[in-house]
Amino acid sequence: MTDAVIDLSSMRPRALLALYSQILTELIRRRIVWSRNAPAGDYAELLVAEAFGGRLAKGSEKSWDVRVGNELLQVKCRVVDPSSKRTQTFSPFRSFAFDRCVFVLVDSVSYRVTRAIQVDRDLVEGRASLSAWVAGSRLTVRNVLAMTEGVDVTEALQRAQDEVDVRGRRADRDQ
């Protein structure tokens, strides 16, 4: 099946929101995402778990998202609009109780992983800026892309994304 493109321009806002809800319901049924929050975060966590053979944290876990062996990974995702001139930041860190962070960038139109970088916690903590406004520490996309010490894991996440597109989520990746 080819990817269908639907012209949404004539739909009213409530109809668009209803369609969005139906799409989220189907993604939840397929266990690709597990909440009704914006799906990018859940999706990135799933891709990291799939790419590295990890297990997703329980929904109540606030410090990390994926366990790979004894290593705890935090996942931060940002949907990137290349045409935007605004500073794009990842969601805040409210804890640094993890070993590494995987920063995932996805294209705002296709949701394709465009970049994924794995960074040690000490480096993340050292480079993040404290923000009282969000009660946490933040990093911009630009800051992360400038981290030459990080490991590029883009291809691993793109492979996982391709596999999830074909077969769905593995049963052994349950939360």
Side-chain angles (χ1 to χ4, degrees):
M1 178 178 153
T2 62
D3 292 336
V5 176
I6 301 169
D7 180 11
L8 304 174
S9 63
S10 65
M11 293 178 72
R12 293 178 185 220
R14 195 172 356 165
L16 287 169
L17 290 168
L19 179 59
Y20 179 69
S21 176
Q22 290 174 23
I23 291 167
L24 281 178
T25 299
E26 182 61 20
L27 289 170
I28 289 167
R29 187 191 69 75
R30 293 183 190 193
R31 297 175 42 225
I32 301 301
V33 301
W34 39 92
S35 72
R36 293 201 165 270
N37 297 333
D42 287 354
Y43 189 49
E45 291 171 16
L46 173 64
L47 295 179
V48 169
E50 294 281 334
F52 300 120
R55 291 202 174 274
L56 293 161
K58 300 278 185 214
S60 60
E61 181 57 57
K62 300 298 180 205
S63 302
W64 56 275
D65 301 304
V66 177
R67 178 186 293 275
V68 179
N70 292 326
E71 188 171 60
L72 303 177
L73 302 178
Q74 173 68 266
V75 178
K76 294 291 185 184
C77 182
R78 179 69 193 194
V79 177
V80 177
D81 178 354
S83 67
S84 176
K85 302 295 182 209
R86 295 177 40 211
T87 299
Q88 299 181 52
T89 60
F90 290 95
S91 64
F93 290 92
R94 294 195 171 86
S95 165
F96 289 97
F98 57 87
D99 299 303
R100 296 186 200 318
C101 183
V102 181
F103 294 94
V104 181
L105 301 176
V106 297
D107 179 78
S108 64
V109 175
S110 67
Y111 260 67
R112 180 73 174 154
V113 172
T114 59
R115 193 78 187 275
I117 302 166
Q118 184 171 285
V119 181
D120 288 340
R121 182 207 63 235
D122 292 341
L123 184 60
V124 171
E125 192 171 3
R127 300 266 175 95
S129 300
L130 186 59
S131 172
W133 181 65
V134 296
S137 298
R138 298 191 89 166
L139 280 166
T140 66
V141 169
R142 187 177 323 205
N143 294 144
V144 170
L145 292 176
M147 289 184 189
T148 58
E149 305 90 341
V151 176
D152 189 325
V153 293
T154 305
E155 288 183 14
L157 265 70
Q158 287 174 337
R159 278 192 304 275
Q161 189 173 41
D162 292 342
E163 290 172 12
V164 167
D165 267 355
V166 171
R167 66 160 161 69
R169 178 178 171 178
R170 287 188 183 148
D172 63 344
R173 300 288 176 249
D174 286 342
Q175 296 176 308

